[in-house]
Amino acid sequence: MYAFDIERPTRVTDAVKLLSDSTESQPLGGGQTLIPTLKQRLAAPDRLVCLSGIDEMRGICTDDAGRICVGASTTHVEVAAGAAAYPALAALAGNIGDPAVRNRGTLGGSLANNDPSACYPSAVLASGATVVTNTREIAADDFFDGLFTTALEEGEIITEVKFPVPEKAAYMKFDQPASRFALVGAFVAKHADGVRVAITGASEEGVFRWAEAEAALSSDFSVAALEGLSLDGSGMISDLHGTGDYRANLAAVMTKRAVAAA
Amino acid sequence: MPADGGIGASNKRREDVRFLTGNGNYTDDINMRGQAYVHFLRSDVAHGTLKGVDTSAAAGMPGVIQIFTAADFADVGGIPCGWQVTDKHGEVMQEPKHPVLAEGKVRHVGDPIAAIVAESREQARDAAEAIEVDIDDLPAVMDMKAALADGSTKVHDDLTSNLCYDWGFVEENKDAVDQAIKDAAHVTTLELVNNRLIPNAMEPRVAVGDFNRSTGDSTLYTTSQNPHVIRLLMGAFVLGIPEHKLRVVAPDVGGGFGSKIYHYAEEAFCTFAAKALNRPVKWTCSRSEAFMSDAHGRDHVTKIDLALDGDNNFTAIRTETYANMGAYLSTFAPSIPTWLHGTLMAGNYKTPVIYVNVKAVFTNTVPVDAYRGAGRPEATFQLERVIDKAARELGVDPIALRRQNFVTEFPYATPVAVEYDTGDYHATMDKLEEMADMSGFEARLAASQAKGKLRGLGVNCYIEACGIAPSNLVGQLGARAGLYESATVRVNATGGLVVMTGSHSHGQGHETSFAQVVADMIGIAPDMVEVVHGDTANTPMGMGTYGSRSLAVGGSAMVRATEKIIAKARKIAAHLMEASEGDIELKDGQFSVAGTDKSVAWGDVTLAAYVPHNYPLEEIEPGLEETAFYDPANFTYPAGAYACEVELDPETGKVTIERFAAADDFGNIVNPMIVSGQVHGGLAQGIGQALMEGCAYDEDGQLLTGSYMDYTMPRADDVPFYRVDHSCQTPCTHNPLGVKGCGEAGAIGSPPAVVNAVIDALQRGGHDITHINMPLTPSRVWSAMQG
Amino acid sequence: MAQVSMTVNGKAASGEIEGRTLLVDFLRDTLGMTGTHVGCDTSQCGACVVHLDGKAVKACAIFAAEAEGAEVTTVEGMANDDGSLGTIQQAFQDHHGLQCGFCTPGMVMSAAALLKDNPTPSEAEIRDYLEGNICRCTGYHNIVKAIMAASGQDVSSIAAE
C-alpha cells in the first residue's frame, strides 16, 4: 500500500471536517473492500478517515413512520441480528461475505462503494429507502448512479439509511462461485402502494429496478404473474462467470424464487 | 489394527501440536538480522520485445539498495529443465533459455523484468513504479493449434517454431492402432479439454537467501518440496556453487501439490543477491503474484478414439493431445504429458494396442508443470469419459463395460511400456458398489425430481503410476536426474533414533508415519523415533516428495537403512549374550536367544554400541548409524473405483455433490487416518477441477483469473462428507513395505466421476448432451442445456 | 509513525506502526507472533482470522490502528493455561483436521467464534460458517468433523477410515 495516516474520529462533524480539508482523504468503513484495493495500490489516499468508531452512526432503531433506521457504520452482523422487524433485510445482511467479513463490513461502506455485484444496493432500491448523509436525504431511486458511482458529493458521508418495511419481501442471491458476491441477486418488496423489484449483479450500471416485473407483481403478487417475463441478456454483464443471457435467466429465476419466499 | 502404534495404526500426528499452537516454522516466519527485501517488477503484457529497462529514477529512491536486471545475470546460467523428451522422429525437444530475469523479450504476464532490493517491501514497490520499461508489444500466442500454424508469431525467436516436441508412443504401434480403429465394430470419439489449473497451496512461496562471509557458504530457505533438487539444479546449473558450499532448507511448508517442486527464478535470485549484497534477501510472494508466477497445471486439449469389437471388448485406443508448456520449460514439464500420461492410457483395461500423440506447445502463458496427479488425471479423464460415452452409445451399463475389459492377470505388461505388478480391479469395484449404495439411487433420484432437480450417478475407475521412479528407466526416457530416495538412520546411545530422510513433508505427516514404520520394525514406541527432513545440511541427498513416492521410495530407503541397523544390532546382541547371531530374535524391542530366556533390551544394545567396552570390535565398528539409498524397481500402481452422485438445478445450472464414494487399493497402509486425509484432499481438488476451477486468459494473454475473486477455490460448503475405503489391498510386490502410495489418487479419480454424474443427470433429464468441458460451472451447464 | 497499544492473548502489547500497518503485520512483524498467517490479498482465505474484542475478524483486512485498545486473541492464545491443547485444538488433532497446517490458525479461530455463537452447530451450519476459510489439503471432511467433535457431538457415524 501507499503510505497514509489514519484518523479515528468519534463524531460525524469531525469526520466531515477531516474529509473536507484534503482532497486525498478517503472514508474507511469496514475496510473489507477498501483494504484489498489499497493492497493492489489501486487507490492512493494520504489519509483514511475511519468511520467505524462513530457511535451516532451505529445502531438500529425504528422511527415514527415505522421505518427501520440503520446507522451507516452498523456492521452486517449487527443488522442480521438486530433488524428482526425487517426479516428480508436481516437475512440479506447475514449472507454477505463470510462471518469475519460480516463483523467488520458496514452498510454505509457497501452503499458508498456501489459495487455492481453487492447485495445491499438491491435492498435499498427495493425498499424505496432514504439515504441520509451529513448534508441531505437522498431517495433510493436517485442514489445509485452507475458502476461504482453514487450521488454522493466529495466529502459527503452516509450517516444512516431509513428503510420502509414492506408487507412482504425476500432476497434471493445466486453466488458468483469465486467471490461469493451476487452473480445475480433479486430483492422483491411488496409495499402498500406497489411492488418493487431490484436486481443486482446483472448490469454494468449496477442495481436496477425491473419495471416489467414490478408492474406484473403489483397487480398479482405471485410466481405465476412472472411467467413469460424475461430480461434482455444482450445488455448484461458477460464474463467468465456467466454470459449476459445467463444473467438474464438468473434474474428471472431469482425474482420468482424471491416472490415464492416472500 | 495394532494398539501399539506401529504399522497400520491411526496414530495422531505429532506435528499437529506446533501447527495448532501457532508454532509452525514456515519460511515467511524466518527473519534474519539485517535482511533486505526484494520485489519483482513483472511484465503486465503477455508478449513483447524488451527494448529497455531504465532504473535511473528508481535507483536513488529511499531505502533502495540495488536494482537488478538481466544484465546482472550475464554470467549466470538460466533456469534449467530437468527432463529432455525425444520426439517421434528421434530428435530432442526444443529447449529455450529460461533466464532468471527477462532478457530481450517478455513472454508472459508475470515474467520478471527487474528485481528491486530495498530496506522494506513497500520501498521496493515504490521504486518499482519508478522504473521505466520500454516494451514493444507483440501478438500474444495463446491458442495452441494456432501457435503451430505456419506464420504464427514465435514465443522464442531462436527456436524453429512454437512446437517443443511432437511425441508418439508407441510409434511402432501407430499403424496397428489406425487399422484396429478402421476395423472396429464401434468407435467412440470424444474431444475434450483438461482445464488449466492453478495449484494454490495455501502458503504462498517465499525465499530467503543468505550468505556467510566467513565461510563463503550460501544458504537458501525456500518453500520447496525437494530441497536437494533445488540445491543441485541451482548450484550446478544456475549459480555455479558446489553442493558443499550451498545449503537449502525447506522448513515447514504449507502445501505443495507439485507447485513447489520446481526451481524458480526467485530462489536463484535471492541466493545470488544475498552474496552480491552481503545481506540476507527475502522474497514473499503475494497471492496475486502467485497466480502469475507459480507453475500452473494440466492444460491439455485432446481427441480420443476408443475402438470396440462386436462383443464390446476394447480393441484400440488412439489419442491426440496438445499440451501447453507455457512460455518456458519448467523443471519437469516435458515429462508430464508424455511419460506420466501416455504410459497410463491403458488404464485398468486390457486394450491390446494404444497410440498416444502429444504435441507440446509454447504459448505466452505462465509455465505449466506437474500438479497433483501430473499427467495421470489427464489420462484417466480421457479414458474414463470416452468409456462412459461408449457405454451410452452402445446402451450398456457403464460398470459392466468396464468390468468386462478389466485386466485380471498380473503382472500385466501394458502396450504402453509399463507393467502393472499387482491389482484387483473387480475387488475395488465390488467394494464401491457396496459403499455407494447404488441400489438406493432410484429412490434418491425420485426425491430430487420431486424437488424439481435433476440427479445423476457417475462411476469410473482409475489407475496411476506413482512411487516414482526407477532411475535407469526414467534416464532412458530423458530424465536428467535419478529418482531414488535416501535415509540415514542414526541411533543414539540411550536408544532413541533419528531418521534423516531425503523425503519432505508439507502436509503428509511423515514425522508421524515414518516413525511408525521404524518403531514397528524394532518394536519400540514411535515417540522414540524422530524424523528429520527438509535441510540439505543434515539429510542425505534425496529427490523429495511428489508423485506419491514418499512411503514407497523414501519409506523403502528408511526400511533398508533400518534393516542394516537391526542386522548390526543383532551382532551386538549376540556378543552381549554370548550366543550365535543366527539364534537372535527381535520382538517388541527385545533381543532374545531362541529357545532360552536370555534377552537384552534395545537400549542395552544401543548403549553398548556407543560405549563399546563389551563389544566385538574385531568384527564391527562402534556406533549404530546406517544409510540407504533406494532406487525403486518399478512404479507402483494404486487403483480404484469412484462413484459420485450430483444434483443439478435446471433453472440455474448449479451442480451440487450429494455423495462421493472412493474405493482405493493402495497396497499396504501405514497410517489409515493419514491415508484417508490424503484421499479427502485429492477429492476436493478433483471436484474443484470438475466444477469450479479454471485458469482463464483472454486473447491478449491477460490473466482473467488473477485472484480468488475470479478463481473459484472449493470451500467447505461445496463438498459433502466423503466415503472412502482402502480395505482392498493388493500389496506392491517390489518394495519392502508393500505400499503403493496414496497422495494423488483422489485428484486423479474424481473429475471423471463428477462429469460422468452430470452427464447422467442431464441425460436422465431428457437432455441429449454427451459432454461439457470442465469446469462445469453453473453458467456452462445452463448454457449447454439451452442447446 | 505512531504508537499502538492493545492486549494480545491477555498481555499488553504495543509498538510503532504506520497508518498502513495491518493488524496481521503488527502481530507477525512487530510482535514476532507468526502463528497468524497470510494466504491471500483479497481477504478471502481466512488464514489470518483472529478475534478482536471477542469477534472473528480477518487480521489482513483491518489496520493495527483500528485495534487500539482492543483485546485480540490469536491462535497462540488458544491452549490451556498448562500448555496442553485446548478443546478445539485437541479435536483437530484427534480427527486429523489439518495437514500442512497453514490454514489451521484461521480454522481454529473461526471454529472458536462459531462455537461461541452456536454451541452445537449442524454439519451444514459449520460448512456455511467456514465460507471464509479456505483449505487446500484436507477437503474439509476432517475439519468439519473436528468442529462437531469439539462441540461435544458424537461423530462416530461420520466415516473415518
Side-chain angles (χ1 to χ4, degrees):
Chain A
M1 283 181 255
Y2 295 112
F4 45 79
D5 296 324
I6 294 190
E7 300 292 343
R8 304 179 70 215
T10 54
R11 298 185 313 163
V12 173
T13 47
D14 296 332
V16 170
K17 187 152 179 303
L18 286 163
L19 286 166
S20 61
D21 71 7
S22 155
T23 51
E24 302 305 329
S25 281
Q26 219 172 318
L28 171 68
Q32 303 305 286
T33 299
L34 184 57
I35 293 179
T37 304
L38 293 169
K39 286 179 186 173
Q40 300 300 327
R41 294 192 162 204
L42 293 172
D46 63 14
R47 173 197 288 156
L48 290 185
V49 180
C50 182
L51 303 179
S52 330
I54 301 178
D55 288 342
E56 59 188 297
M57 279 173 58
R58 209 156 167 163
I60 304 169
C61 59
T62 311
D63 72 4
D64 298 334
R67 294 182 293 188
I68 300 263
C69 302
V70 181
S73 290
T74 312
T75 62
H76 305 325
V77 72
E78 287 165 349
V79 174
Y86 190 170
L89 181 67
L92 176 152
N95 204 27
I96 295 174
D98 58 62
V101 164
R102 292 195 283 276
N103 281 330
R104 298 292 301 170
T106 66
L107 171 62
S110 171
L111 294 180
N113 188 38
N114 195 19
D115 188 311
S117 303
C119 296
Y120 262 135
S122 72
V124 167
L125 195 55
S127 306
T130 304
V131 176
V132 182
T133 76
N134 56 300
T135 54
R136 57 185 168 139
E137 297 198 349
I138 310 174
D141 287 331
D142 301 325
F143 181 78
F144 302 103
D145 210 12
L147 186 71
F148 292 110
T149 317
T150 67
L152 293 173
E153 303 284 355
E154 195 76 43
E156 185 181 8
I157 59 173
I158 304 172
T159 56
E160 184 184 36
V161 181
K162 302 193 215 238
F163 293 90
V165 180
E167 294 169 358
K168 287 184 174 186
Y171 177 63
M172 282 290 150
K173 172 186 181 185
F174 189 85
D175 285 353
Q176 195 263 58
S179 69
R180 302 295 183 99
F181 274 65
L183 184 59
V184 172
F187 199 114
V188 172
K190 179 177 192 291
H191 303 273
D193 59 356
V195 176
R196 292 170 77 113
V197 177
I199 307 290
T200 186
S203 163
E204 296 264 322
E205 297 306 304
V207 67
F208 67 92
R209 289 172 62 182
W210 186 7
E212 212 190 348
E214 291 183 343
L217 291 170
S218 291
S219 46
D220 171 18
F221 190 78
S222 74
V223 173
L226 294 167
E227 272 325 300
L229 295 190
S230 63
L231 285 154
D232 180 8
S234 62
M236 294 200 170
I237 299 173
S238 190
D239 65 8
L240 197 57
H241 304 289
T243 58
D245 285 344
Y246 180 63
R247 282 181 165 81
N249 165 67
L250 281 183
V253 172
M254 291 299 124
T255 303
K256 286 186 185 148
R257 293 184 181 183
V259 171
Chain B
M1 183 166 312
D4 59 354
I7 291 173
S10 286
N11 289 1
K12 292 183 219 193
R13 299 190 339 159
R14 59 179 74 165
E15 43 268 79
D16 287 359
V17 177
R18 67 180 183 273
F19 295 145
L20 286 164
T21 55
N23 289 313
N25 186 33
Y26 298 91
T27 312
D28 194 50
D29 301 342
I30 294 172
N31 290 297
M32 313 200 68
R33 200 156 64 94
Q35 79 190 3
Y37 299 85
V38 61
H39 171 76
F40 291 94
L41 175 64
R42 297 181 183 274
S43 176
D44 59 7
V45 302
H47 197 193
T49 308
L50 193 54
K51 292 181 48 206
V53 183
D54 181 359
T55 61
S56 51
M61 284 177 67
V64 173
I65 299 165
Q66 189 166 335
I67 301 177
F68 296 80
T69 61
D72 296 299
F73 290 87
D75 299 329
V76 168
I79 306 294
C81 176
W83 203 300
Q84 181 185 71
V85 165
T86 301
D87 75 7
K88 67 186 189 193
H89 308 295
E91 316 222 335
V92 299
M93 67 190 189
Q94 297 211 76
E95 189 172 350
K97 183 174 181 199
H98 185 178
V100 174
L101 293 176
E103 210 173 74
K105 278 175 101 174
V106 291
R107 296 185 175 88
H108 66 86
V109 167
D111 208 355
I113 296 169
I116 305 97
V117 183
E119 299 293 344
S120 77
R121 283 190 198 101
E122 297 288 7
Q123 286 169 325
R125 279 185 87 177
D126 290 341
E129 290 176 10
I131 296 178
E132 306 257 346
V133 181
D134 187 9
I135 296 179
D136 273 355
D137 284 9
L138 292 168
V141 179
M142 299 306 294
D143 178 83
M144 288 194 277
K145 290 179 188 167
L148 296 183
D150 283 336
S152 168
T153 305
K154 285 196 278 185
V155 175
H156 294 276
D157 301 310
D158 55 333
L159 303 184
T160 61
S161 68
N162 291 318
L163 179 69
C164 180
Y165 55 75
D166 183 355
W167 183 80
F169 187 68
V170 176
E171 202 60 32
E172 299 85 74
N173 293 344
K174 180 177 192 302
D175 292 338
V177 169
D178 288 341
Q179 193 60 47
I181 289 173
K182 282 206 183 71
D183 297 340
H186 185 90
V187 178
T188 296
T189 299
L190 183 58
E191 295 194 34
L192 54 88
V193 170
N194 202 295
N195 43 329
R196 185 177 187 117
L197 300 176
I198 301 180
N200 273 309
M202 293 320 295
E203 178 205 30
R205 288 187 297 125
V206 181
V208 183
D210 188 28
F211 180 70
N212 183 321
R213 233 187 324 192
S214 37
T215 61
D217 292 345
S218 293
T219 303
L220 172 69
Y221 298 89
T222 178
T223 48
S224 176
Q225 299 175 221
N226 36 248
H228 289 279
V229 172
I230 304 305
R231 186 176 69 164
L232 178 59
L233 292 177
M234 185 171 72
F237 298 101
V238 187
L239 299 180
I241 305 175
E243 287 96 315
H244 61 277
K245 304 304 285 177
L246 175 58
R247 175 182 172 214
V248 178
V249 182
D252 286 327
V253 173
F257 315 111
S259 66
K260 292 174 179 167
I261 294 173
Y262 321 116
H263 174 43
Y264 285 98
E266 297 90 355
E267 292 173 322
F269 178 81
C270 289
T271 310
F272 176 87
K275 185 169 181 181
L277 301 173
N278 202 14
R279 289 181 60 174
V281 176
K282 181 170 182 177
W283 173 68
T284 304
C285 192
S286 73
R287 183 58 66 182
S288 337
E289 194 181 3
F291 271 73
M292 60 175 80
S293 62
D294 286 357
H296 292 175
R298 313 275 191 268
D299 205 346
H300 287 195
V301 177
T302 297
K303 175 171 176 241
I304 179 168
D305 300 301
L306 171 67
L308 302 99
D309 67 15
D311 296 319
N312 296 336
N313 298 310
F314 302 159
T315 56
I317 292 168
R318 180 175 62 199
T319 80
E320 191 191 346
T321 290
Y322 292 82
N324 206 331
M325 295 286 101
Y328 302 98
L329 291 179
S330 175
T331 310
F332 283 130
S335 69
I336 310 307
T338 54
W339 304 112
L340 293 179
H341 156 257
T343 53
L344 273 307
M345 282 317 302
N348 306 62
Y349 314 104
K350 47 189 201 287
T351 314
V353 280
I354 298 175
Y355 180 68
V356 177
N357 172 257
V358 178
K359 294 178 177 62
V361 186
F362 293 110
T363 62
N364 289 116
T365 61
V366 170
V368 178
D369 205 327
Y371 167 58
R372 201 165 195 172
R376 283 90 87 225
E378 294 87 317
T380 304
F381 188 73
Q382 297 157 36
L383 192 55
E384 295 295 326
R385 282 292 304 127
V386 79
I387 290 172
D388 216 62
K389 188 173 184 223
R392 275 186 204 285
E393 288 172 358
L394 297 165
V396 301
D397 177 76
I399 294 178
L401 181 60
R402 289 173 166 87
R403 281 192 186 271
Q404 86 172 77
N405 284 285
F406 274 166
V407 172
T408 51
E409 293 185 16
F410 297 87
Y412 175 74
T414 68
V416 279
V418 296
E419 182 176 278
Y420 302 155
D421 59 341
T422 177
D424 185 346
Y425 309 141
H426 283 292
T428 40
M429 186 57 87
D430 292 340
K431 177 61 67 176
L432 182 72
E433 287 181 336
E434 187 191 303
M435 289 164 73
D437 182 33
M438 292 186 192
S439 53
F441 176 74
E442 290 297 326
R444 294 191 291 271
L445 172 63
S448 293
Q449 287 166 336
K451 291 188 295 177
K453 302 265 175 70
L454 307 183
R455 191 179 188 98
L457 171 64
V459 175
N460 68 283
C461 297
Y462 81 91
I463 185 170
E464 60 151 331
C466 58
I468 59 181
S471 294
N472 275 344
L473 172 60
V474 296
Q476 284 166 37
L477 305 179
R480 290 171 166 154
L483 280 166
Y484 54 84
E485 202 38 79
S486 66
T488 295
V489 178
R490 170 177 303 156
V491 183
N492 292 319
T494 53
L497 295 92
V498 183
V499 175
M500 290 160 274
T501 173
S503 293
H504 184 267
S505 186
H506 36 278
Q508 295 88 340
H510 298 161
E511 291 165 36
T512 300
S513 57
F514 277 28
Q516 278 177 255
V517 172
V518 172
D520 190 280
M521 289 173 74
I522 297 169
I524 53 177
D527 61 15
M528 287 175 67
V529 181
E530 170 94 346
V531 177
V532 169
H533 62 97
D535 186 340
T536 59
N538 63 17
T539 51
M541 171 85 183
M543 296 307 293
T545 293
Y546 36 80
S548 311
R549 70 193 301 270
S550 300
L551 204 50
V553 190
S556 296
M558 182 176 67
V559 167
R560 292 287 183 240
T562 306
E563 285 169 348
K564 294 184 195 178
I565 294 282
I566 292 173
K568 187 170 180 182
R570 270 184 208 283
K571 288 189 160 72
I572 300 170
H575 179 89
L576 291 176
M577 294 189 285
E578 293 168 351
S580 107
E581 205 190 312
D583 293 334
I584 302 297
E585 289 169 351
L586 169 61
K587 188 166 153 44
D588 295 340
Q590 295 282 329
F591 292 93
S592 58
V593 181
T596 76
D597 56 8
K598 272 177 153 189
S599 72
V600 289
W602 170 257
D604 298 329
V605 169
T606 62
L607 191 62
Y610 288 92
V611 188
H613 294 164
N614 174 12
Y615 196 86
L617 287 163
E618 332 67 51
E619 292 162 36
I620 49 173
E621 298 167 359
L624 196 52
E625 177 171 324
E626 300 287 349
T627 295
F629 285 78
Y630 181 85
D631 204 290
N634 192 356
F635 295 89
T636 63
Y637 300 96
Y642 287 5
C644 176
E645 265 179 56
V646 300
E647 220 178 43
L648 197 163
D649 181 343
E651 289 186 319
T652 65
K654 184 161 166 71
V655 174
T656 56
I657 307 280
E658 297 296 308
R659 293 165 73 96
F660 204 107
D664 289 296
D665 176 355
F666 295 132
N668 290 340
I669 305 273
V670 170
N671 185 318
M673 179 188 78
I674 289 181
V675 169
S676 294
Q678 289 297 304
V679 178
H680 295 162
L683 293 180
Q685 287 181 310
I687 289 166
Q689 170 166 28
L691 295 183
M692 288 161 240
E693 298 182 43
C695 173
Y697 280 96
D698 72 11
E699 65 206 2
D700 297 320
Q702 291 298 316
L703 194 52
L704 296 172
T705 49
S707 77
Y708 292 150
M709 291 296 281
D710 289 299
Y711 188 91
T712 307
M713 294 285 282
R715 267 76 157 203
D717 62 5
D718 289 317
V719 293
F721 284 127
Y722 317 102
R723 290 172 173 74
V724 304
D725 179 280
H726 29 79
S727 61
C728 297
Q729 297 175 2
T730 58
C732 175
T733 57
H734 62 76
N735 67 44
L737 290 168
V739 299
K740 292 186 171 177
C742 67
E744 294 162 293
I748 291 170
S750 55
V754 177
V755 179
N756 288 348
V758 175
I759 298 299
D760 187 59
L762 290 167
Q763 294 263 341
R764 286 177 191 271
H767 298 271
D768 184 23
I769 295 170
T770 55
H771 186 70
I772 304 173
N773 272 326
M774 301 188 288
L776 275 66
T777 60
S779 168
R780 284 189 180 202
V781 172
W782 181 84
S783 299
M785 291 170 75
Q786 306 317 302
Chain C
M1 284 298 219
Q3 273 284 102
V4 72
S5 309
M6 61 186 78
T7 309
V8 179
N9 297 332
K11 289 204 207 121
S14 61
E16 262 197 6
I17 52 157
E18 295 182 323
R20 60 185 167 180
T21 305
L22 296 164
L23 179 58
V24 69
D25 300 331
F26 178 70
L27 292 169
R28 289 180 59 79
D29 301 335
T30 311
L31 300 183
M33 296 175 64
T34 55
T36 304
H37 297 154
V38 175
C40 79
D41 47 15
T42 48
S43 306
Q44 291 174 278
C45 81
C48 67
V49 172
V50 299
H51 293 180
L52 182 76
D53 291 332
K55 297 196 178 68
V57 299
K58 294 182 172 172
C60 77
I62 176 170
F63 295 107
E66 295 184 271
E68 171 66 42
E71 298 223 2
V72 176
T73 311
T74 71
V75 69
E76 289 99 330
M78 296 301 284
N80 295 324
D81 291 338
D82 64 359
S84 59
L85 296 182
T87 308
I88 293 173
Q89 293 163 315
Q90 189 60 58
F92 269 70
Q93 186 189 37
D94 291 345
H95 297 284
H96 190 34
L98 62 151
Q99 292 182 23
C100 83
F102 198 78
C103 77
T104 305
M107 287 290 178
V108 169
M109 301 313 289
S110 284
L114 168 62
L115 295 183
K116 215 171 72 159
D117 286 344
N118 186 351
T120 46
S122 66
E123 176 197 344
E125 287 170 331
I126 295 172
R127 291 185 184 279
D128 181 62
Y129 197 89
L130 294 178
E131 190 176 334
N133 289 87
I134 304 179
C135 174
R136 201 48 156 164
C137 292
T138 67
Y140 303 102
H141 181 116
N142 285 340
I143 291 176
V144 177
K145 196 173 168 199
I147 296 173
M148 291 181 86
S151 72
Q153 298 180 72
D154 176 14
V155 297
S156 55
S157 63
I158 297 170
E161 313 160 5

